[in-house]
Amino acid sequence: MIAVIDEVLTAGQGKSTASRRHCEAQVRRILDLRYPGDPITNVKPTTLQGYINERDAGLYTFDKATTRSTASNKPDRQYNLGEATQLGEICEIDSTEMDVLVWDDQGNEFRPKLTVLFDVASRVPMSWAIHANSATGFDHALLIARAIVGRKAIPGSSATRLPASATLPAELMKKVNSFLDDDSLAVPWIFPQAITVDGGADFRSSVFASACRRYGITQVLAPPGAATVKPHVERNFGTVATDFTSWLAGSVGNSVANRVRKAKATLTLDSVRAAFDTWVTTVYLNKPHGGLKLPMFPGREWTPNQMYSVLFEFGPGVQLPFGQEDYFALLPTAKRIISDSGIEFKNRRYDSAHLEDLRNRSLTGTSARPGSRAARKFDISYDPYNLNCVWVRHPENGEWIECWDVALEENTAWMAAEAAVKLVERFGSGEPLEKPKQAEFLDEMERRAKSDGRARRKQLAAQARPQDPDATESLPIEPVMIPPRQPSTILDPADIDWDSPDFDVVTYKELG
């Protein structure tokens, strides 16, 4: 009977989930065919169900098909946790769809895609990007560039406005990486030595492979359908869903069962990017992580910043001559004219005070006729998935000029600044042994949600309320004629009594 039960359970691994009664009927049918008249065919239902449950342990035959598929990928050997002891020794990269609805520049609603390059030793996100569409191999090559140059030093990055962390060894980091020349570093810098990727076409593209070879990074290919080969970045996506996106306006839930029928988008893509940068640096990096434990202190959990500061002293990583020139070399370019109002690019306007001597200027040394429209076009470098700013290289001194979106600076810059200040007030600046103030963050989000909800309900009620006809004065039905003004009588000067008190005679002296 046990052999027949195992046979039925094994056959059900590659099929849709069925009930236990269905399995029991199959077992009895096989027993009747193979052992007719044997007492075993009359086994009690409760006894047979007990044997089925016992043999199904660990197979998940009657659970979700996704759970059964994941469990079938586990290796039939002793587990290797894949833990690393050096920064950048083992890194993992993956993409996921975020559980929040946002607006694009045309008013369409969509769920953005998040890509994270994750360090296993310190549990630190080395670099990340949020895209409107599915990422490509070019986007992942830019992630490697951001990880190498250090997110604090990335031109146009919102991390330049993030607060410093006193936990990070800033002085030692600047000695190892000379491009980290700022006195305050918000994000740890780690050089990736090996990156584990899955079977996605974007991760196995020639562009991403060339970027790995260019900087001596080993590309580890995971077997097909083996999500357990890169479990750390997969688990990090769960943390992002529960601790970040679930508290944003427009959150849609992490599954169909947790999702309302009609969710409304509230935030823009730029707002989600700025909020994610702030959340990583102020909350996640300062929160104790369950996977960061030491054998000598098994009862204590360490924060990613604390683990990074210790591991950086033993193995800071490889230093490469990678600066802004190398970063801009990976960006695409487009030719645009620098006018008095700035640069028009992708329905946006960019400008900078350092463009004064380049406005309406004609470039020399080109094949175009001097003064023509073609000769006035400069090469504009841009990040296709972060259009907050573009860069122009000065033709004389070779310096890169960063030009920000004028509309972003004028209309929404105060929102990003206010969000950054309030999040720092709630979560602290990264002092050693500092606890992230997650409760204050949640209280603030709940308070704002209630306040905005009340205001919205009042607005909708006022719009739906019928107008009172007595509130306005009724106009007269027929017009009323206003009599014309009578002209005054003209007096003869000879008939005027100058001694009368009705007249006041004023004399004046002409000033010479």
Side-chain angles (χ1 to χ4, degrees):
M1 183 175 62
I2 299 299
V4 174
I5 293 176
D6 292 342
E7 179 182 347
V8 174
L9 294 178
T10 303
Q13 290 297 308
K15 300 180 180 179
S16 301
T17 302
S19 63
R20 285 181 170 82
R21 289 188 177 182
H22 183 269
C23 179
E24 178 185 352
Q26 285 184 310
V27 172
R28 290 187 180 278
R29 180 173 179 272
I30 295 176
L31 291 177
D32 291 337
L33 293 176
R34 294 182 182 179
Y35 311 102
D38 195 287
I40 197 175
T41 58
N42 297 323
V43 60
K44 294 182 180 179
T46 55
T47 304
L48 182 56
Q49 285 290 345
Y51 283 120
I52 292 176
N53 294 336
E54 179 181 352
R55 303 303 297 177
D56 182 57
L59 298 180
Y60 307 101
T61 307
F62 311 107
D63 292 331
K64 295 180 180 179
T66 54
T67 304
R68 186 165 58 254
S69 176
T70 303
S72 63
N73 291 328
K74 63 181 180 180
D76 297 331
R77 53 173 171 78
Q78 183 180 0
Y79 280 11
N80 181 12
L81 298 180
E83 297 293 339
T85 57
Q86 296 181 5
L87 296 176
E89 178 183 1
I90 300 177
C91 302
E92 300 171 358
I93 187 173
D94 202 0
S95 300
T96 187
E97 191 174 36
M98 302 185 71
D99 302 326
V100 61
L101 274 178
V102 299
W103 292 97
D104 61 3
D105 53 356
Q106 298 180 354
N108 300 320
E109 297 181 358
F110 65 96
R111 293 173 60 185
K113 310 297 189 302
L114 171 64
T115 305
V116 177
L117 180 58
F118 200 72
D119 176 59
V120 176
S122 60
R123 301 301 197 273
V124 169
M126 303 162 56
S127 58
W128 56 86
I130 300 178
H131 311 295
N133 302 314
S134 299
T136 62
F138 170 78
D139 303 324
H140 303 329
L142 287 180
L143 278 186
I144 296 179
R146 292 189 180 101
I148 295 177
V149 74
R151 189 160 182 95
K152 182 67 175 182
I154 294 177
S157 171
S158 60
T160 57
R161 298 190 297 270
L162 295 178
S165 175
T167 307
L168 301 179
E171 295 299 329
L172 182 59
M173 292 168 65
K174 289 187 294 182
K175 291 180 180 179
V176 175
N177 190 348
S178 59
F179 298 104
L180 304 178
D181 53 358
D182 200 281
D183 293 334
S184 58
L185 300 176
V187 181
W189 171 78
I190 302 173
F191 178 82
Q193 301 179 23
I195 301 178
T196 303
V197 300
D198 57 17
D202 50 341
F203 295 112
R204 304 203 179 191
S205 63
S206 58
V207 178
F208 183 72
S210 299
C212 293
R213 289 194 301 267
R214 169 65 176 82
Y215 303 108
I217 301 174
T218 303
Q219 189 177 8
V220 182
L221 304 180
T228 55
V229 177
K230 46 181 182 58
H232 304 90
V233 67
E234 297 283 358
R235 181 61 186 88
N236 180 254
F237 288 150
T239 302
V240 172
T242 55
D243 294 354
F244 175 70
T245 55
S246 61
W247 303 105
L248 297 179
S251 176
V252 296
N254 57 358
S255 65
V256 178
N258 299 330
R259 191 168 300 157
V260 296
R261 178 173 298 180
K262 292 184 179 180
K264 296 182 179 180
T266 304
L267 303 176
T268 62
L269 186 61
D270 292 335
S271 299
V272 174
R273 285 169 175 164
F276 188 78
D277 292 345
T278 308
W279 175 79
V280 170
T281 55
T282 59
V283 179
Y284 175 78
L285 293 179
N286 297 314
K287 185 177 181 180
H289 197 287
L292 297 179
K293 297 180 181 179
L294 298 177
M296 297 183 62
F297 305 96
R300 181 174 181 179
E301 298 178 352
W302 307 87
T303 67
N305 270 348
Q306 291 172 343
M307 183 62 70
Y308 170 83
S309 61
V310 174
L311 295 179
F312 192 84
E313 298 178 0
F314 295 98
V318 181
Q319 165 61 15
L320 291 179
F322 192 100
Q324 289 188 355
E325 294 290 336
D326 302 272
Y327 181 76
F328 288 127
L330 295 174
L331 297 179
T333 59
K335 290 186 176 296
R336 290 294 186 274
I337 295 177
I338 304 178
S339 62
D340 294 334
S341 59
I343 302 171
E344 298 290 339
F345 181 68
K346 290 187 178 296
N347 299 324
R348 295 189 178 191
R349 185 168 65 89
Y350 302 87
D351 206 348
S352 173
H354 301 285
L355 295 177
E356 295 304 326
D357 57 340
L358 301 181
R359 302 182 189 276
N360 299 316
R361 178 175 174 178
S362 179
L363 293 175
T364 59
T366 61
S367 59
R369 180 175 55 85
S372 63
R373 184 177 181 85
R376 295 167 55 196
K377 291 186 176 181
F378 286 76
D379 286 333
I380 309 298
S381 298
Y382 65 96
D383 189 341
Y385 294 100
N386 184 14
L387 295 177
N388 291 338
C389 61
V390 297
W391 299 271
V392 181
R393 189 167 188 175
H394 200 284
E396 276 82 21
N397 54 30
E399 295 182 355
W400 288 94
I401 302 175
E402 187 175 280
C403 309
W404 280 81
D405 186 356
V406 176
L408 180 65
E409 288 289 324
E410 293 176 354
N411 298 332
T412 60
W414 67 271
M415 299 174 60
E418 182 183 4
V421 170
K422 289 190 175 298
L423 285 173
V424 171
E425 292 176 352
R426 301 297 186 271
F427 307 136
S429 59
E431 294 291 337
L433 303 180
E434 180 183 10
K435 295 182 178 180
K437 301 180 180 180
Q438 186 78 22
E440 286 79 356
F441 171 69
L442 303 183
D443 293 341
E444 178 68 15
M445 297 300 292
E446 292 180 358
R447 185 186 66 80
R448 289 181 177 270
K450 292 179 180 178
S451 176
D452 295 346
R454 288 194 297 267
R456 181 58 175 167
R457 288 192 295 270
K458 290 181 180 179
Q459 181 186 16
L460 295 176
Q463 294 177 355
R465 188 181 303 115
Q467 188 177 5
D468 188 4
D470 299 334
T472 59
E473 296 182 358
S474 60
L475 297 177
I477 299 177
E478 296 184 358
V480 178
M481 180 65 69
I482 300 176
R485 182 180 179 182
Q486 299 296 329
S488 59
T489 305
I490 301 177
L491 298 179
D492 188 1
D495 299 335
I496 298 178
D497 185 8
W498 298 102
D499 296 332
S500 174
D502 296 335
F503 300 94
D504 186 9
V505 180
V506 179
T507 61
Y508 69 94
K509 180 180 181 181
E510 184 177 358
L511 298 177

